[in-house]
Amino acid sequence: MKQSILLVITVIIIVSCNSDKKPPFQLPENYTKIIAGDSAKTWKLARRYNNKTRMNMGDCFLSYRATYLDHGIMYDNNGEHEDCGGTLTANWSIYHSKDNYPYIKLKGEKLKELMNLDNDYKFFKILNLNDTLMILEFKHKQFSSKETTLVDIFVSENIAIKDRAFHW
């Protein structure tokens, strides 16, 4: 119950603030262990916001899992589910921008195809990170040439999240 309340409060604070004006999130020293556990850690998508609007999560979002390995590889499970796209496998690393914002950088050939990119890499700004919560922000061109800002809220795979599949 406390984790759910903390998650809701964190989401409200992050979504209601303009992340570009916030100071950079300070990564904990043990960020690799937080992201990848002792050898591997799986995160599930708890919520997604598109330009600060909460998105309804269909089957593909509800089943989505991203696993990070401590030796710098990540993969997702999209390919295991019908009509959810191919599985992404990529190298992951931490990158800091000139103004010290932390990012997870994913690099792999599949990114070009799966995210419709010209490059084989993508940066995901880290807005928050702890043992049970990882919040990432990124820009994406979804179905048009218009770019949108997405915020993905991940939780450890074993955490129960209420109201993940809501309908308007």
Side-chain angles (χ1 to χ4, degrees):
M1 180 68 176
K2 288 181 182 178
Q3 288 176 340
S4 294
I5 292 171
L6 180 60
L7 176 65
V8 170
I9 291 170
T10 303
V11 169
I12 290 169
I13 290 170
I14 288 172
V15 172
S16 65
C17 297
N18 183 342
S19 63
D20 292 334
K21 294 182 181 179
K22 289 180 69 171
F25 175 74
Q26 296 301 309
L27 284 178
E29 286 185 32
N30 63 339
Y31 66 83
T32 299
K33 184 175 174 80
I34 291 172
I35 294 170
D38 290 326
S39 62
K41 185 172 184 177
T42 300
W43 296 88
K44 73 178 170 186
L45 188 60
R47 304 258 192 281
R48 174 172 270 191
Y49 289 83
N50 184 340
N51 289 330
K52 299 183 182 181
T53 300
R54 183 174 168 195
M55 291 179 60
N56 187 30
M57 298 202 337
D59 292 341
C60 292
F61 288 116
L62 293 172
S63 63
Y64 185 79
R65 303 291 186 272
T67 300
Y68 289 79
L69 306 177
D70 65 344
H71 59 276
I73 303 290
M74 72 77 59
Y75 60 90
D76 69 22
N77 67 341
N78 270 344
E80 299 171 16
H81 303 281
E82 189 175 339
D83 298 325
C84 292
T87 295
L88 172 64
T89 300
N91 294 302
W92 74 272
S93 60
I94 296 297
Y95 169 85
H96 283 86
S97 64
K98 290 181 214 171
D99 48 0
N100 207 32
Y101 285 93
Y103 291 81
I104 291 179
K105 178 183 179 183
L106 296 184
K107 182 173 175 40
E109 276 300 312
K110 278 291 218 178
L111 278 166
K112 291 169 83 170
E113 172 192 339
L114 295 174
M115 296 192 80
N116 195 24
L117 300 171
D118 295 329
N119 302 312
D120 66 348
Y121 60 89
K122 181 100 176 139
F123 292 95
F124 300 82
K125 185 189 281 186
I126 301 171
L127 301 181
N128 199 341
L129 177 67
N130 62 46
D131 289 331
T132 60
L133 179 71
M134 178 168 63
I135 302 177
L136 304 176
E137 177 185 79
F138 61 102
K139 305 274 188 208
H140 185 58
K141 291 181 183 174
Q142 288 184 297
F143 304 110
S144 68
S145 60
K146 185 178 179 186
E147 191 172 67
T148 185
T149 300
L150 298 174
V151 174
D152 284 346
I153 299 164
F154 291 93
V155 295
S156 298
E157 184 178 37
N158 61 340
I159 293 179
I161 300 295
K162 294 180 182 178
D163 194 29
R164 284 177 73 216
F166 79 99
H167 298 281
W168 296 104

